[in-house]
């Protein structure tokens, strides 16, 4: 009996000691569990949330996944495969390949019932700090200035000829923007008119390109896509 009473006294003392000295530890453990930071999005996940969707465009539009590096008949699977001096960034964007070396990029193909012969490509690219500005202000600006009279490029043994580019009215979107149109003729192929608008929002660059069946792709087809994509990036 005395042994039981002594044991109870020790348990009671230990419990009291824990209440006095261990409660802080328990509280800290509980606090640490509830205060653990939420998992941050990866760059690829972030671009996915920023990419325009069919719901953003409304009735008459469809959006499907598109990988410019896949397919049996692609001109180039990366911008580095394209040769032809400072004009290669323009050719890369025509084939939905991003400017420079972004951390991650993502493309979609948009179709609309209003223009069944026109394909609209949207490519988003996310860059490290300051690199998106460099891509716009050096790679793209230099290419547009130096290649506006037309140029030719090659990739994997195949060539393309680009007619002179014509500047478009630059939309008041993003931190900076640039728009132009032109015609590209694949080696041994049919000329394809293109319209491109490039918009930078911070460290993300969005490129929207319409490739039409007519001599010049209708700008009114591209505008709703540009505006919807820009709204997602604000």
């Amino acid at each position: 009996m005395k042994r039981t009473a002594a044991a109870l006294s020790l348990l009671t003392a230990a419990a009291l000691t824990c209440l006095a000295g261990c409660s802080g530890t328990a509280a800290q453990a509980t606090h640490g569990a509830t205060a653990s930071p939420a998992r941050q999005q990866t760059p690829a996940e972030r671009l996915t949330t920023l990419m325009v969707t069919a719901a953003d465009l409304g009735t008459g539009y469809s959006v499907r996944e598109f990988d410019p590096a896949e397919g049996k008949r692609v001109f180039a699977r990366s911008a580095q495969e394209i040769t032809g001096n400072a004009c290669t960034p323009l050719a890369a964007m025509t084939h939905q390949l991003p400017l420079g070396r972004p951390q991650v990029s993502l493309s979609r193909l948009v179709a609309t019932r209003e223009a069944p012969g026109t394909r609209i490509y949207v490519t988003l690219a996310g860059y490290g700090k300051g690199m998106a500005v460099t891509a716009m202000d050096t790679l793209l600006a230099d290419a547009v200035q130096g290649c506006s009279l037309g140029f030719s490029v090659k990739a994997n043994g195949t060539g393309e000829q680009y007619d002179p580019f014509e500047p478009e009215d630059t939309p008041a979107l993003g931190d900076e923007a640039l728009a132009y149109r032109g015609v590209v003729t694949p080696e041994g192929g049919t000329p394809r008119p293109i319209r491109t608008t490039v918009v930078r929002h911070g460290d993300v660059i969005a490129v929207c390109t319409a490739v039409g069946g007519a001599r010049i792709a209708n700008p009114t087809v591209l505008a709703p896509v540009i505006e919807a994509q820009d709204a997602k990036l604000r």
Side-chain angles (χ1 to χ4, degrees):
M1 192 68 146
K2 287 182 180 179
R3 185 184 294 176
T4 304
L8 286 171
S9 297
L10 286 173
L11 287 172
T12 303
L16 290 172
T17 302
C18 191
L19 286 173
C22 301
S23 58
T25 304
Q28 288 174 8
T30 303
H31 177 72
T34 56
S36 59
R39 186 183 72 84
Q40 292 191 348
Q41 288 182 319
T42 65
E45 289 171 339
R46 179 180 176 233
L47 278 195
T48 300
T49 63
L50 294 175
M51 176 63 77
V52 69
T53 67
D56 300 318
L57 292 167
T59 305
Y61 287 89
S62 65
V63 179
R64 69 175 177 85
E65 294 185 5
F66 175 81
D67 188 345
E70 292 184 352
K72 296 180 180 179
R73 300 179 62 185
V74 296
F75 179 68
R77 288 178 167 79
S78 73
Q80 287 67 45
E81 293 181 356
I82 304 174
T83 59
N85 59 49
C87 304
T88 56
L90 299 176
M93 288 191 300
T94 299
H95 293 281
Q96 295 72 58
L97 298 170
L99 280 168
R101 296 181 181 272
Q103 293 176 332
V104 63
S105 63
L106 182 68
S107 295
R108 293 288 186 266
L109 174 59
V110 180
T112 171
R113 291 200 301 261
E114 295 298 320
T118 299
R119 300 183 304 281
I120 302 171
Y121 298 94
V122 180
T123 297
L124 299 185
Y127 297 78
K129 187 175 182 180
M131 297 308 294
V133 175
T134 300
M136 286 285 290
D137 295 350
T138 57
L139 286 175
L140 182 57
D142 290 350
V144 170
Q145 183 176 2
C147 307
S148 60
L149 298 180
F151 61 93
S152 60
V153 295
K154 282 187 174 295
N156 301 311
T158 303
E160 286 184 336
Q161 178 64 45
Y162 287 74
D163 288 0
F165 282 138
E166 298 178 42
E168 302 261 57
D169 291 335
T170 301
L173 302 172
D175 297 314
E176 54 182 326
L178 182 67
Y180 59 88
R181 69 183 183 184
V183 176
V184 56
T185 304
E187 194 173 89
T190 303
R192 295 179 300 152
I194 59 171
R195 257 189 209 296
T196 298
T197 298
V198 187
V199 181
R200 180 181 68 81
H201 275 270
D203 60 359
V204 175
I205 292 178
V207 180
C208 297
T209 299
V211 182
R215 179 62 182 169
I216 293 295
N218 188 345
T220 60
V221 174
L222 186 57
V225 180
I226 296 170
E227 292 166 2
Q229 179 58 78
D230 185 73
K232 294 290 288 282
L233 294 173
R234 290 177 195 160

